[in-house]
Amino acid sequence: MNVSVTRKRRRLAVRSALAAVVLGAVAGGVYYSTSAATAGQTPVAASFSCALPGGQQVAVPIEFGVSVPDTATAGTATTITPSAKVTLPAAAVTALRGTEATTVDATLTPKLELTDASGTSEVKANPLAIKAMALPAEGELVLPLAGTPVQVTPSGAGTAQIQLTGLTAQLAAGERQVECTSSSNTGALGSFEVGATKATPTQQPQQRVQAAPGGGVSAQAGFKVNFDVTVTTTLKKVDNAQVVLTGTLKSELPVAPPPPEGNPLTGELTLNPVKDNYLVVFRFMPVFNDITATSDGPVTGRVFVDVASGTADTKAVSKVVLKIDRVRQGSSDPNGGVLVIDKGVNCRTASPIEVPISGKIGIRPGTETEISTKATIPPFAGCTARTGEDMSRLFTGLVSGPDTPVVVKLKSLCLGDCPA
């Protein structure tokens, strides 16, 4: 197994823990890469060998890096964040699938040191891990591993450097453990300047985030996660009849380390129109209508992303205006009955429906999440019948009210490399 450790004089800016999990699906996994070595500097290499089922030995490349701040203050804790990539070659994937395994886990345990003006000290970093990544039918599999932030405290002014002094790898396919050799090669991961006095608020260290070459992730723009959406609303006043809307949610999550309240998120929700929605009102009268749900601004909220589990702990609100068109009553045939409200009449909720969305949402492609919530459906307005009567109060009485059950189902479609 090859370990490639890149080195910069000022910093090695690998993607943050969040970006590591979202740079696009490749061979059933997620692609992640560190920056290339700066001109004139040589990557530090080591060699791992892993024993596959049947005794075959295979080399599995690994890339390892650490994000560091631009500056720090002597005697004050600052944060570094390890991250890595493991690439299982096609031969390894084929051998592991031959054991009837469908998923693979990977764990890297690094040994790190901090060298500064006062000498060298050990940095205690937790293992980096990713679990239950699907094995593709063929080809290689790229596994991103994001580490937890580590606090280091440089003790003197000058240049501080983070060094890798050892690395242990462990793989598991299903219940089968794959043994790999360890590396004791050393290499510089990144350096930063340490000041003797406390920095002013405008001088506080900043975590640098950089996109992969050719990738679409940046500290400013964040990364994209798109979902298929199904929203099921139960109308308690109409014999618990259900209205089902489908569509897509295009969201963007920032890559910066989150503040205590979480990172901000934004999303664009698009729902498809529903034709000939069938309800039975007053327990005996069949009614057909067309429904259009339009977002009133973006989905907004706060989010914490857990890289290891591939989830986003989300607290957000979606605002939707519900419009009802082409209302017919008196027949169970969509083409029959009496047309009560013409198409194009502006019969809609007088204000947007606010749907809270709170819970852990799976962001890995193919992951499905179901969130149960409740919403208040506002009164209706503009519901003018063909005969001229205002039927807004009738629709309000039938549909509007608090604590309306809503179930939101989300299926992740893509990470990072998502269509516009």
Side-chain angles (χ1 to χ4, degrees), residues 195-208:
T197 58
K198 186 175 181 180
T200 64
T202 57
Q203 298 172 319
Q204 288 296 320
Q206 296 181 348
Q207 288 295 113
R208 298 289 182 175

Side-chain angles (χ1 to χ4, degrees), residues 172-186:
E175 299 298 323
R176 182 186 293 270
Q177 296 296 315
V178 178
E179 297 300 325
C180 300
T181 60
S182 61
S183 168
S184 59
N185 286 39
T186 62

